[in-house]
């Protein structure tokens, strides 16, 4: 457990899902899973050990999210900017889906979880894509929690490409200029068909959005914790949900 200060721990006795109110569970929770490298460094381990531990935490938090009835869990696993990291770290991150899915897919299928990917295939190694696509294929008829990996994802690229598509549609005559609406724009985003996140959690103490879902986060509740992602537990997750449930969402109204 981190010794660092965090917004968690205001009521450390509250440590189970039983404290959650059933009628205000967020539909869509998004997480920026940050702090793997620092978690590893603090233990004198290589950075990739932090990513491996972070991968294991994906399973725990997915099960926790499913248990309380969250519909969509979006996890920021690899950004379009992460390609600039040292090649061996990039290679390791690209190998994680191949390790994760064969290990966990049976349980995910049994739990009715559906895998989805938000991001671009271009540039992602074939072996990585195959692992993700197999998981998507195997879970495509599932109707439970959507586990959405933001992988090779960046929001400015997403917004730019959606804009390009809108312009193309107007130029080709399939869309009138006056029919450009927020809905038409949303339909052209990587997250088409998903509701916007109700709650965004970022671990590791950084207070940034880091090019993540800039459009979709317009009215999302934001929670930041100093805990590093590998140490972010189910109880921390439940406490985040409890914090969400204490917020009053006004959407610009009164
Ligand atoms: C940011 O921490 C984390 C990442 C760039 C990778 C996140 C990926 C996972 C947790 C595993 C994903 C699992 C699958 C199956 C795809 P950081 O390395 O920037 O940490 P630091 O800021 O402490 O260096």
């Amino acid at each position: 457990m981190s010794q660092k200060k965090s917004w968690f721990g205001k009521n450390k006795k509250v440590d189970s899902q039983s404290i959650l109110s059933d009628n205000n569970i967020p539909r869509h929770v998004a997480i920026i899973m940050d702090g793997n490298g620092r978690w590893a460094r603090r233990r004198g381990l290589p950075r990739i050990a932090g990513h491996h531990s972070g991968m294991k935490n994906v399973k725990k938090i997915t099960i926790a999210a499913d248990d309380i009835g969250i519909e969509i869990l979006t996890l920021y696993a690899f950004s379009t900017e992460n390609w600039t990291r040292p090649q061996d770290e990039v290679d390791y991150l690209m190998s994680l889906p191949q390790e994760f899915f064969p290990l966990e897919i049976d349980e995910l299928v049994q739990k009715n979880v559906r895998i989805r990917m938000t991001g671009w295939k271009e540039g992602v190694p074939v072996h990585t894509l195959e692992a993700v696509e197999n998981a998507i294929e195997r879970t495509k008829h599932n109707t439970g929690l959507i586990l959405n990996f933001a992988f090779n994802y960046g929001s400015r690229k997403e917004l730019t490409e959606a804009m390009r598509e809108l312009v193309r549609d107007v130029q080709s005559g399939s869309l009138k200029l006056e029919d450009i609406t927020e809905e038409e724009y949303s339909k052209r985003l990587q997250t088409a068909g998903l509701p916007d996140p109700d709650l965004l959690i970022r671990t590791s103490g950084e207070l940034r959005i880091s090019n993540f879902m800039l459009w979709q986060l317009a009215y999302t509740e934001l929670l930041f914790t100093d805990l590093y992602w590998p140490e972010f537990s189910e109880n921390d997750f439940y406490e985040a949900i409890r914090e969400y449930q204490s917020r009053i969402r006004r959407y610009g109204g009164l």
Side-chain angles (χ1 to χ4, degrees), residues 33-39 47 51 54-55 58 76-78 82 85 89 93 96-97 100-101 149 151 204 229:
M33 307 181 288
D34 196 11
N36 293 347
R38 279 165 284 167
W39 179 89
R47 291 179 57 79
H51 294 314
M55 179 196 78
V58 164
Y76 204 5
F78 192 89
N82 287 151
R85 293 188 176 208
E89 184 169 341
L93 288 167
L96 288 179
F100 179 79
F101 289 117
F149 284 95
F151 199 83
S204 94
W229 172 247

PDB file of all heavy atoms in Angstrom, residues 33-39 47 51 54-55 58 76-78 82 85 89 93 96-97 100-101 149 151 204 229, ligand 1:
ATOM      1  N   MET A  33      -4.195   4.319 -16.557  1.00  0.00           N
ATOM      2  CA  MET A  33      -3.448   3.419 -15.651  1.00  0.00           C
ATOM      3  C   MET A  33      -1.993   3.876 -15.610  1.00  0.00           C
ATOM      4  O   MET A  33      -1.156   3.373 -16.340  1.00  0.00           O
ATOM      5  CB  MET A  33      -3.530   1.980 -16.184  1.00  0.00           C
ATOM      6  CG  MET A  33      -4.940   1.491 -16.460  1.00  0.00           C
ATOM      7  SD  MET A  33      -4.966  -0.220 -17.060  1.00  0.00           S
ATOM      8  CE  MET A  33      -4.311  -0.043 -18.719  1.00  0.00           C
ATOM      9  N   ASP A  34      -1.693   4.798 -14.730  1.00  0.00           N
ATOM     10  CA  ASP A  34      -0.364   5.410 -14.737  1.00  0.00           C
ATOM     11  C   ASP A  34       0.425   4.988 -13.495  1.00  0.00           C
ATOM     12  O   ASP A  34      -0.153   4.677 -12.460  1.00  0.00           O
ATOM     13  CB  ASP A  34      -0.530   6.939 -14.773  1.00  0.00           C
ATOM     14  CG  ASP A  34       0.753   7.641 -15.181  1.00  0.00           C
ATOM     15  OD1 ASP A  34       1.706   6.956 -15.632  1.00  0.00           O
ATOM     16  OD2 ASP A  34       0.816   8.873 -15.048  1.00  0.00           O
ATOM     17  N   GLY A  35       1.741   5.019 -13.633  1.00  0.00           N
ATOM     18  CA  GLY A  35       2.611   4.789 -12.477  1.00  0.00           C
ATOM     19  C   GLY A  35       3.270   3.423 -12.433  1.00  0.00           C
ATOM     20  O   GLY A  35       3.906   3.069 -11.436  1.00  0.00           O
ATOM     21  N   ASN A  36       3.159   2.649 -13.520  1.00  0.00           N
ATOM     22  CA  ASN A  36       3.791   1.318 -13.532  1.00  0.00           C
ATOM     23  C   ASN A  36       5.303   1.426 -13.350  1.00  0.00           C
ATOM     24  O   ASN A  36       5.904   0.655 -12.593  1.00  0.00           O
ATOM     25  CB  ASN A  36       3.526   0.609 -14.866  1.00  0.00           C
ATOM     26  CG  ASN A  36       2.073   0.259 -15.055  1.00  0.00           C
ATOM     27  OD1 ASN A  36       1.285   0.307 -14.125  1.00  0.00           O
ATOM     28  ND2 ASN A  36       1.714  -0.088 -16.282  1.00  0.00           N
ATOM     29  N   GLY A  37       5.899   2.375 -14.069  1.00  0.00           N
ATOM     30  CA  GLY A  37       7.357   2.537 -14.032  1.00  0.00           C
ATOM     31  C   GLY A  37       7.832   2.940 -12.644  1.00  0.00           C
ATOM     32  O   GLY A  37       8.796   2.371 -12.096  1.00  0.00           O
ATOM     33  N   ARG A  38       7.137   3.880 -12.028  1.00  0.00           N
ATOM     34  CA  ARG A  38       7.547   4.344 -10.694  1.00  0.00           C
ATOM     35  C   ARG A  38       7.314   3.263  -9.636  1.00  0.00           C
ATOM     36  O   ARG A  38       8.095   3.100  -8.713  1.00  0.00           O
ATOM     37  CB  ARG A  38       6.788   5.644 -10.331  1.00  0.00           C
ATOM     38  CG  ARG A  38       7.417   6.879 -10.979  1.00  0.00           C
ATOM     39  CD  ARG A  38       6.489   8.067 -10.923  1.00  0.00           C
ATOM     40  NE  ARG A  38       5.424   7.934 -11.912  1.00  0.00           N
ATOM     41  CZ  ARG A  38       4.338   8.677 -11.935  1.00  0.00           C
ATOM     42  NH1 ARG A  38       4.160   9.605 -11.003  1.00  0.00           N
ATOM     43  NH2 ARG A  38       3.444   8.524 -12.886  1.00  0.00           N
ATOM     44  N   TRP A  39       6.245   2.514  -9.824  1.00  0.00           N
ATOM     45  CA  TRP A  39       5.978   1.407  -8.902  1.00  0.00           C
ATOM     46  C   TRP A  39       7.151   0.424  -8.930  1.00  0.00           C
ATOM     47  O   TRP A  39       7.623  -0.036  -7.893  1.00  0.00           O
ATOM     48  CB  TRP A  39       4.687   0.700  -9.321  1.00  0.00           C
ATOM     49  CG  TRP A  39       4.321  -0.480  -8.470  1.00  0.00           C
ATOM     50  CD1 TRP A  39       3.561  -0.475  -7.335  1.00  0.00           C
ATOM     51  CD2 TRP A  39       4.708  -1.851  -8.694  1.00  0.00           C
ATOM     52  NE1 TRP A  39       3.457  -1.756  -6.836  1.00  0.00           N
ATOM     53  CE2 TRP A  39       4.143  -2.607  -7.653  1.00  0.00           C
ATOM     54  CE3 TRP A  39       5.464  -2.495  -9.671  1.00  0.00           C
ATOM     55  CZ2 TRP A  39       4.314  -3.990  -7.558  1.00  0.00           C
ATOM     56  CZ3 TRP A  39       5.651  -3.871  -9.580  1.00  0.00           C
ATOM     57  CH2 TRP A  39       5.069  -4.603  -8.539  1.00  0.00           C
ATOM     58  N   ARG A  47      11.376  -1.391 -15.344  1.00  0.00           N
ATOM     59  CA  ARG A  47      10.065  -0.801 -15.658  1.00  0.00           C
ATOM     60  C   ARG A  47       9.068  -1.861 -16.152  1.00  0.00           C
ATOM     61  O   ARG A  47       7.888  -1.798 -15.840  1.00  0.00           O
ATOM     62  CB  ARG A  47      10.225   0.290 -16.728  1.00  0.00           C
ATOM     63  CG  ARG A  47      10.950   1.541 -16.242  1.00  0.00           C
ATOM     64  CD  ARG A  47      11.080   2.542 -17.380  1.00  0.00           C
ATOM     65  NE  ARG A  47       9.782   2.879 -17.943  1.00  0.00           N
ATOM     66  CZ  ARG A  47       8.918   3.734 -17.385  1.00  0.00           C
ATOM     67  NH1 ARG A  47       9.226   4.344 -16.267  1.00  0.00           N
ATOM     68  NH2 ARG A  47       7.766   3.972 -17.962  1.00  0.00           N
ATOM     69  N   HIS A  51       4.915  -2.887 -15.656  1.00  0.00           N
ATOM     70  CA  HIS A  51       3.853  -3.102 -16.653  1.00  0.00           C
ATOM     71  C   HIS A  51       3.218  -4.485 -16.467  1.00  0.00           C
ATOM     72  O   HIS A  51       2.020  -4.656 -16.646  1.00  0.00           O
ATOM     73  CB  HIS A  51       4.418  -2.963 -18.069  1.00  0.00           C
ATOM     74  CG  HIS A  51       4.875  -1.574 -18.385  1.00  0.00           C
ATOM     75  ND1 HIS A  51       4.118  -0.464 -18.091  1.00  0.00           N
ATOM     76  CD2 HIS A  51       6.018  -1.097 -18.961  1.00  0.00           C
ATOM     77  CE1 HIS A  51       4.763   0.632 -18.468  1.00  0.00           C
ATOM     78  NE2 HIS A  51       5.916   0.276 -18.991  1.00  0.00           N
ATOM     79  N   GLY A  54       0.996  -4.241 -13.644  1.00  0.00           N
ATOM     80  CA  GLY A  54      -0.166  -3.459 -14.089  1.00  0.00           C
ATOM     81  C   GLY A  54      -1.134  -4.309 -14.892  1.00  0.00           C
ATOM     82  O   GLY A  54      -2.355  -4.185 -14.758  1.00  0.00           O
ATOM     83  N   MET A  55      -0.591  -5.184 -15.712  1.00  0.00           N
ATOM     84  CA  MET A  55      -1.446  -6.076 -16.509  1.00  0.00           C
ATOM     85  C   MET A  55      -2.269  -6.982 -15.587  1.00  0.00           C
ATOM     86  O   MET A  55      -3.458  -7.191 -15.798  1.00  0.00           O
ATOM     87  CB  MET A  55      -0.580  -6.924 -17.436  1.00  0.00           C
ATOM     88  CG  MET A  55      -1.375  -7.883 -18.280  1.00  0.00           C
ATOM     89  SD  MET A  55      -0.358  -9.174 -18.999  1.00  0.00           S
ATOM     90  CE  MET A  55      -0.141 -10.259 -17.595  1.00  0.00           C
ATOM     91  N   VAL A  58      -5.263  -5.312 -14.245  1.00  0.00           N
ATOM     92  CA  VAL A  58      -6.372  -5.146 -15.196  1.00  0.00           C
ATOM     93  C   VAL A  58      -7.450  -6.188 -14.901  1.00  0.00           C
ATOM     94  O   VAL A  58      -8.641  -5.885 -14.844  1.00  0.00           O
ATOM     95  CB  VAL A  58      -5.856  -5.278 -16.652  1.00  0.00           C
ATOM     96  CG1 VAL A  58      -7.011  -5.495 -17.630  1.00  0.00           C
ATOM     97  CG2 VAL A  58      -5.041  -4.043 -17.035  1.00  0.00           C
ATOM     98  N   TYR A  76      -6.820   2.891 -20.562  1.00  0.00           N
ATOM     99  CA  TYR A  76      -5.824   3.505 -21.460  1.00  0.00           C
ATOM    100  C   TYR A  76      -4.541   2.681 -21.349  1.00  0.00           C
ATOM    101  O   TYR A  76      -3.771   2.821 -20.404  1.00  0.00           O
ATOM    102  CB  TYR A  76      -5.569   4.940 -21.000  1.00  0.00           C
ATOM    103  CG  TYR A  76      -5.044   5.910 -22.038  1.00  0.00           C
ATOM    104  CD1 TYR A  76      -4.895   5.566 -23.374  1.00  0.00           C
ATOM    105  CD2 TYR A  76      -4.725   7.221 -21.664  1.00  0.00           C
ATOM    106  CE1 TYR A  76      -4.445   6.487 -24.309  1.00  0.00           C
ATOM    107  CE2 TYR A  76      -4.270   8.150 -22.594  1.00  0.00           C
ATOM    108  CZ  TYR A  76      -4.131   7.781 -23.902  1.00  0.00           C
ATOM    109  OH  TYR A  76      -3.678   8.702 -24.817  1.00  0.00           O
ATOM    110  N   ALA A  77      -4.332   1.809 -22.319  1.00  0.00           N
ATOM    111  CA  ALA A  77      -3.238   0.842 -22.228  1.00  0.00           C
ATOM    112  C   ALA A  77      -2.014   1.249 -23.041  1.00  0.00           C
ATOM    113  O   ALA A  77      -0.897   0.850 -22.712  1.00  0.00           O
ATOM    114  CB  ALA A  77      -3.718  -0.530 -22.676  1.00  0.00           C
ATOM    115  N   PHE A  78      -2.220   2.002 -24.122  1.00  0.00           N
ATOM    116  CA  PHE A  78      -1.069   2.429 -24.939  1.00  0.00           C
ATOM    117  C   PHE A  78      -1.511   3.633 -25.767  1.00  0.00           C
ATOM    118  O   PHE A  78      -2.490   3.564 -26.510  1.00  0.00           O
ATOM    119  CB  PHE A  78      -0.617   1.279 -25.857  1.00  0.00           C
ATOM    120  CG  PHE A  78       0.714   1.531 -26.518  1.00  0.00           C
ATOM    121  CD1 PHE A  78       1.905   1.151 -25.883  1.00  0.00           C
ATOM    122  CD2 PHE A  78       0.794   2.168 -27.751  1.00  0.00           C
ATOM    123  CE1 PHE A  78       3.138   1.396 -26.487  1.00  0.00           C
ATOM    124  CE2 PHE A  78       2.018   2.420 -28.350  1.00  0.00           C
ATOM    125  CZ  PHE A  78       3.193   2.026 -27.725  1.00  0.00           C
ATOM    126  N   ASN A  82       3.083   6.850 -26.798  1.00  0.00           N
ATOM    127  CA  ASN A  82       3.945   5.856 -26.139  1.00  0.00           C
ATOM    128  C   ASN A  82       4.961   5.212 -27.090  1.00  0.00           C
ATOM    129  O   ASN A  82       5.919   4.576 -26.634  1.00  0.00           O
ATOM    130  CB  ASN A  82       3.110   4.752 -25.470  1.00  0.00           C
ATOM    131  CG  ASN A  82       2.391   5.200 -24.211  1.00  0.00           C
ATOM    132  OD1 ASN A  82       1.333   4.682 -23.857  1.00  0.00           O
ATOM    133  ND2 ASN A  82       2.951   6.176 -23.496  1.00  0.00           N
ATOM    134  N   ARG A  85       8.762   5.755 -26.489  1.00  0.00           N
ATOM    135  CA  ARG A  85       9.517   5.121 -25.397  1.00  0.00           C
ATOM    136  C   ARG A  85      10.615   4.217 -25.980  1.00  0.00           C
ATOM    137  O   ARG A  85      10.562   3.861 -27.154  1.00  0.00           O
ATOM    138  CB  ARG A  85       8.568   4.288 -24.531  1.00  0.00           C
ATOM    139  CG  ARG A  85       7.591   5.173 -23.797  1.00  0.00           C
ATOM    140  CD  ARG A  85       6.758   4.435 -22.802  1.00  0.00           C
ATOM    141  NE  ARG A  85       5.919   5.386 -22.089  1.00  0.00           N
ATOM    142  CZ  ARG A  85       5.472   5.241 -20.852  1.00  0.00           C
ATOM    143  NH1 ARG A  85       5.771   4.154 -20.176  1.00  0.00           N
ATOM    144  NH2 ARG A  85       4.717   6.157 -20.291  1.00  0.00           N
ATOM    145  N   GLU A  89      10.912  -1.317 -24.265  1.00  0.00           N
ATOM    146  CA  GLU A  89       9.686  -1.126 -23.472  1.00  0.00           C
ATOM    147  C   GLU A  89       8.447  -1.197 -24.376  1.00  0.00           C
ATOM    148  O   GLU A  89       7.437  -1.813 -24.020  1.00  0.00           O
ATOM    149  CB  GLU A  89       9.735   0.216 -22.728  1.00  0.00           C
ATOM    150  CG  GLU A  89       8.522   0.403 -21.829  1.00  0.00           C
ATOM    151  CD  GLU A  89       8.630   1.593 -20.867  1.00  0.00           C
ATOM    152  OE1 GLU A  89       9.748   2.080 -20.617  1.00  0.00           O
ATOM    153  OE2 GLU A  89       7.567   2.030 -20.376  1.00  0.00           O
ATOM    154  N   LEU A  93       5.358  -3.795 -24.070  1.00  0.00           N
ATOM    155  CA  LEU A  93       3.941  -3.391 -23.983  1.00  0.00           C
ATOM    156  C   LEU A  93       3.130  -4.059 -25.098  1.00  0.00           C
ATOM    157  O   LEU A  93       1.976  -4.464 -24.887  1.00  0.00           O
ATOM    158  CB  LEU A  93       3.818  -1.863 -24.053  1.00  0.00           C
ATOM    159  CG  LEU A  93       4.303  -1.118 -22.796  1.00  0.00           C
ATOM    160  CD1 LEU A  93       4.437   0.375 -23.068  1.00  0.00           C
ATOM    161  CD2 LEU A  93       3.349  -1.362 -21.620  1.00  0.00           C
ATOM    162  N   LEU A  96       2.027  -7.638 -24.281  1.00  0.00           N
ATOM    163  CA  LEU A  96       1.097  -7.893 -23.172  1.00  0.00           C
ATOM    164  C   LEU A  96      -0.232  -8.524 -23.605  1.00  0.00           C
ATOM    165  O   LEU A  96      -0.714  -9.448 -22.940  1.00  0.00           O
ATOM    166  CB  LEU A  96       0.854  -6.612 -22.361  1.00  0.00           C
ATOM    167  CG  LEU A  96       2.040  -6.159 -21.492  1.00  0.00           C
ATOM    168  CD1 LEU A  96       1.693  -4.875 -20.743  1.00  0.00           C
ATOM    169  CD2 LEU A  96       2.433  -7.253 -20.499  1.00  0.00           C
ATOM    170  N   PRO A  97      -0.852  -8.056 -24.700  1.00  0.00           N
ATOM    171  CA  PRO A  97      -2.110  -8.717 -25.098  1.00  0.00           C
ATOM    172  C   PRO A  97      -1.937 -10.216 -25.349  1.00  0.00           C
ATOM    173  O   PRO A  97      -2.808 -11.019 -25.004  1.00  0.00           O
ATOM    174  CB  PRO A  97      -2.505  -7.975 -26.390  1.00  0.00           C
ATOM    175  CG  PRO A  97      -1.909  -6.616 -26.211  1.00  0.00           C
ATOM    176  CD  PRO A  97      -0.585  -6.866 -25.532  1.00  0.00           C
ATOM    177  N   PHE A 100      -1.859 -11.637 -21.855  1.00  0.00           N
ATOM    178  CA  PHE A 100      -3.082 -11.426 -21.069  1.00  0.00           C
ATOM    179  C   PHE A 100      -4.253 -12.273 -21.568  1.00  0.00           C
ATOM    180  O   PHE A 100      -4.897 -12.992 -20.789  1.00  0.00           O
ATOM    181  CB  PHE A 100      -3.445  -9.934 -21.125  1.00  0.00           C
ATOM    182  CG  PHE A 100      -4.697  -9.585 -20.371  1.00  0.00           C
ATOM    183  CD1 PHE A 100      -4.685  -9.447 -18.990  1.00  0.00           C
ATOM    184  CD2 PHE A 100      -5.893  -9.366 -21.039  1.00  0.00           C
ATOM    185  CE1 PHE A 100      -5.831  -9.110 -18.282  1.00  0.00           C
ATOM    186  CE2 PHE A 100      -7.051  -9.030 -20.348  1.00  0.00           C
ATOM    187  CZ  PHE A 100      -7.020  -8.904 -18.963  1.00  0.00           C
ATOM    188  N   PHE A 101      -4.531 -12.203 -22.870  1.00  0.00           N
ATOM    189  CA  PHE A 101      -5.774 -12.814 -23.340  1.00  0.00           C
ATOM    190  C   PHE A 101      -5.777 -14.347 -23.246  1.00  0.00           C
ATOM    191  O   PHE A 101      -6.751 -14.918 -22.726  1.00  0.00           O
ATOM    192  CB  PHE A 101      -6.127 -12.314 -24.744  1.00  0.00           C
ATOM    193  CG  PHE A 101      -6.578 -10.878 -24.735  1.00  0.00           C
ATOM    194  CD1 PHE A 101      -5.860  -9.897 -25.393  1.00  0.00           C
ATOM    195  CD2 PHE A 101      -7.713 -10.502 -24.031  1.00  0.00           C
ATOM    196  CE1 PHE A 101      -6.267  -8.563 -25.359  1.00  0.00           C
ATOM    197  CE2 PHE A 101      -8.123  -9.179 -23.985  1.00  0.00           C
ATOM    198  CZ  PHE A 101      -7.402  -8.206 -24.658  1.00  0.00           C
ATOM    199  N   PHE A 149     -10.236  -1.610 -24.460  1.00  0.00           N
ATOM    200  CA  PHE A 149      -8.837  -1.212 -24.364  1.00  0.00           C
ATOM    201  C   PHE A 149      -8.562  -0.050 -25.309  1.00  0.00           C
ATOM    202  O   PHE A 149      -8.746  -0.176 -26.521  1.00  0.00           O
ATOM    203  CB  PHE A 149      -7.922  -2.380 -24.733  1.00  0.00           C
ATOM    204  CG  PHE A 149      -7.822  -3.414 -23.640  1.00  0.00           C
ATOM    205  CD1 PHE A 149      -8.645  -4.530 -23.657  1.00  0.00           C
ATOM    206  CD2 PHE A 149      -6.926  -3.263 -22.595  1.00  0.00           C
ATOM    207  CE1 PHE A 149      -8.572  -5.479 -22.647  1.00  0.00           C
ATOM    208  CE2 PHE A 149      -6.847  -4.201 -21.580  1.00  0.00           C
ATOM    209  CZ  PHE A 149      -7.666  -5.310 -21.611  1.00  0.00           C
ATOM    210  N   PHE A 151      -5.945   1.428 -27.076  1.00  0.00           N
ATOM    211  CA  PHE A 151      -4.636   0.870 -27.443  1.00  0.00           C
ATOM    212  C   PHE A 151      -4.205   1.519 -28.747  1.00  0.00           C
ATOM    213  O   PHE A 151      -4.930   1.478 -29.728  1.00  0.00           O
ATOM    214  CB  PHE A 151      -4.782  -0.654 -27.605  1.00  0.00           C
ATOM    215  CG  PHE A 151      -3.473  -1.399 -27.522  1.00  0.00           C
ATOM    216  CD1 PHE A 151      -2.930  -1.736 -26.290  1.00  0.00           C
ATOM    217  CD2 PHE A 151      -2.777  -1.732 -28.668  1.00  0.00           C
ATOM    218  CE1 PHE A 151      -1.717  -2.409 -26.209  1.00  0.00           C
ATOM    219  CE2 PHE A 151      -1.569  -2.408 -28.597  1.00  0.00           C
ATOM    220  CZ  PHE A 151      -1.036  -2.748 -27.362  1.00  0.00           C
ATOM    221  N   SER A 204      -1.466   7.513  -9.974  1.00  0.00           N
ATOM    222  CA  SER A 204      -0.041   7.922  -9.909  1.00  0.00           C
ATOM    223  C   SER A 204       0.203   9.388  -9.570  1.00  0.00           C
ATOM    224  O   SER A 204       1.345   9.822  -9.561  1.00  0.00           O
ATOM    225  CB  SER A 204       0.723   7.580 -11.196  1.00  0.00           C
ATOM    226  OG  SER A 204       0.732   8.687 -12.099  1.00  0.00           O
ATOM    227  N   TRP A 229      -0.712   2.492 -10.435  1.00  0.00           N
ATOM    228  CA  TRP A 229      -1.692   1.537 -10.966  1.00  0.00           C
ATOM    229  C   TRP A 229      -1.529   0.113 -10.412  1.00  0.00           C
ATOM    230  O   TRP A 229      -2.525  -0.496  -9.993  1.00  0.00           O
ATOM    231  CB  TRP A 229      -1.666   1.541 -12.497  1.00  0.00           C
ATOM    232  CG  TRP A 229      -2.511   0.446 -13.074  1.00  0.00           C
ATOM    233  CD1 TRP A 229      -2.079  -0.640 -13.762  1.00  0.00           C
ATOM    234  CD2 TRP A 229      -3.949   0.309 -12.970  1.00  0.00           C
ATOM    235  NE1 TRP A 229      -3.138  -1.449 -14.100  1.00  0.00           N
ATOM    236  CE2 TRP A 229      -4.289  -0.892 -13.625  1.00  0.00           C
ATOM    237  CE3 TRP A 229      -4.957   1.081 -12.389  1.00  0.00           C
ATOM    238  CZ2 TRP A 229      -5.604  -1.337 -13.721  1.00  0.00           C
ATOM    239  CZ3 TRP A 229      -6.271   0.624 -12.478  1.00  0.00           C
ATOM    240  CH2 TRP A 229      -6.579  -0.562 -13.135  1.00  0.00           C
TER     241      TRP A 229
HETATM  242  C1  LIG B   1       1.750   4.163 -17.786  1.00  0.00           C
HETATM  243  O1  LIG B   1       2.667   4.000 -16.726  1.00  0.00           O
HETATM  244  C2  LIG B   1       1.323   2.848 -18.251  1.00  0.00           C
HETATM  245  C3  LIG B   1       1.442   2.392 -19.513  1.00  0.00           C
HETATM  246  C4  LIG B   1       2.023   3.179 -20.624  1.00  0.00           C
HETATM  247  C5  LIG B   1       1.017   1.020 -19.867  1.00  0.00           C
HETATM  248  C6  LIG B   1      -0.245   0.573 -19.213  1.00  0.00           C
HETATM  249  C7  LIG B   1      -0.509  -0.837 -19.538  1.00  0.00           C
HETATM  250  C8  LIG B   1      -0.950  -1.736 -18.649  1.00  0.00           C
HETATM  251  C9  LIG B   1      -1.257  -1.414 -17.245  1.00  0.00           C
HETATM  252  C10 LIG B   1      -1.210  -3.163 -19.046  1.00  0.00           C
HETATM  253  C11 LIG B   1      -2.203  -3.258 -20.161  1.00  0.00           C
HETATM  254  C12 LIG B   1      -2.665  -4.627 -20.358  1.00  0.00           C
HETATM  255  C13 LIG B   1      -3.040  -5.167 -21.534  1.00  0.00           C
HETATM  256  C14 LIG B   1      -3.565  -6.529 -21.565  1.00  0.00           C
HETATM  257  C15 LIG B   1      -2.925  -4.456 -22.817  1.00  0.00           C
HETATM  258  P1  LIG B   1       4.140   4.569 -16.896  1.00  0.00           P
HETATM  259  O2  LIG B   1       4.975   3.527 -17.514  1.00  0.00           O
HETATM  260  O3  LIG B   1       4.106   5.846 -17.664  1.00  0.00           O
HETATM  261  O4  LIG B   1       4.552   4.821 -15.420  1.00  0.00           O
HETATM  262  P2  LIG B   1       5.553   5.949 -14.904  1.00  0.00           P
HETATM  263  O5  LIG B   1       4.879   7.277 -15.200  1.00  0.00           O
HETATM  264  O6  LIG B   1       5.644   5.684 -13.448  1.00  0.00           O
HETATM  265  O7  LIG B   1       6.836   5.781 -15.631  1.00  0.00           O
END
